Amino acid sequence: MEDMWIKFGQTVICGILLGGMYSLIAIGMTLIMGVMKIVNLAHGALVMVGMYVTYVCATYYGIDPYIGMFIAMPVLFLLGCLIQKYMINRLVEVDSILPENQVLLTVGIMLVLTEVIRLIFNSDYRSVTTSYSSEAIYIGAMSISVPLVIGFIIAMAFTFLLHMFLTNTDLGKSIRATAQDRDAAVYMGVNSSKITMITFGLGAALAAAGGSLLLPMFYLFPDVGHLFTAKSFIITILGGLGSTWGAAIGGLIIGLAESLGATYISMGYKDVVGLVIFLLVLLFLPGGIRSLVKR
Amino acid sequence: MLKVADLDVAYKDVQVLWDITFEVNEGEFVALLGANGAGKTTTLNAISGMLNVKKGKIEFLGQDITKMPGYKIAELGIIHVPEGRRLFPEMTVRENLEMGSLFPEAKAKRKETMKKIFEQFPILEEKKNKEAGTLSGGQQQMLALGRGLMALPKLLILDEPSLGLAPVLVTQIFNNIKEINNEGVTVLQVEQNVVQTLKMCHRAYVLENGRIYSQGTGEELLNDEHIKEAYLGI
């Protein structure tokens, strides 16, 4: 009987901790969705590129992944800005391309990023091992892996910092204003193309941060991005499109659901649990978590 | 202050404005009147850089702004309070006002200006931490005006501030606008509420089917036979 409770407690805690890192990735996607009104299907590929940057730092230069992420983030910020400015923005300027078709470009970007990485690193599974990779903290009889705990704490810190940035600085408020009414923001003197570029960069940097935090726990290969695109898409739908807090909570729910699925159904079916939740949300709560909180 | 000369505007192949020429002098209160679809809002959007001009020239304080991007035009001091208010619905009243004062000059005076706006519209102070989307129509219009004023505009462009408001609120908003103009802000206002606007403005232009049909002082137009027939129903 007691064993059962230990197993359950451990599953719940691990799930929430993992979910914190999913949240960070999904918040990046939801920010981009809010401002640009498109689903960024290259988001997982950006996570993957960020993971490779951290991987290279760790393997070739001996930089700890938790420090390497501070190199991966600015690199991905820059990459995100360049993609937005020189590729996506070009498309937005053409009137005859419908906005809903702009999403196709992100599929193309995803393919190019994945194949370029495959060209450089080939398809081998790689992993980063650190001295603490296999260490665990014990709470009573429950053991919680150390990278999960550190990852969760850093992810929550970033979420908090992002929240402060969006609510307390003029730049952050301009991002929210552009997401709520782009034309009105321009009337107030917001340079909307600059804001869009910064938002895409910021989303990519958050993707890199989330990926780097997951690196000590996940195998790394060029196609790992698809997994993260699917997860963050499910989370943003669950949270309500464009809602930052919705994505944060949605991430925790998906992490928890996967963890419970892996423990009580089967390891192989853990992603199915997320997809089932996705379908249920679409059927019964199309507005996501955000629609529950709103007015 | 603002000079619009021979302005033509087209949406794709459909031309909607022909040879629009008018000017607004410093300190004036000028109205653009006309029926639905006459081209009033299009004219305003062309001035604030939201659409491409086919032909013609727009000058502000001696500077050519015809092809300037919208955010730079705002920085020059032309602030557009759009039709339907277009607030940021999920931001608080205070945040909406802050969004009006992004440029260094306005930002330096942010607190001061906000205090003045709260004096003019006490209801906004009361609701300063409420989301803009929860305000009533009249309060939203006050907030839209206040957000525009936060930028310390040189020229305030108002697109149908009376839209959807109860008559008593229309009078109040119009009084507020008159007050703003008396304090030295130049106003260019688009309205369908012809009588009240003509009584209040210095000069007005009447648009019909994308062309300027007539112009004059408020009083002149109030006595114009065509205007009487078409807009006042007399």
Side-chain angles (χ1 to χ4, degrees), chain B residues 5-18:
Chain B
D6 298 323
L7 188 69
D8 281 12
V9 173
Y11 292 110
K12 301 237 167 94
D13 297 330
V14 185
Q15 187 160 348
V16 289
L17 293 182
W18 286 269

Side-chain angles (χ1 to χ4, degrees), chain A residues 216-237:
Chain A
M217 286 161 278
F218 269 72
Y219 279 113
L220 178 58
F221 53 102
D223 289 307
V224 76
H226 309 324
L227 183 78
F228 291 117
T229 303
K231 274 196 213 308
S232 27
F233 189 49
I234 292 172
I235 293 169
T236 40
I237 298 277

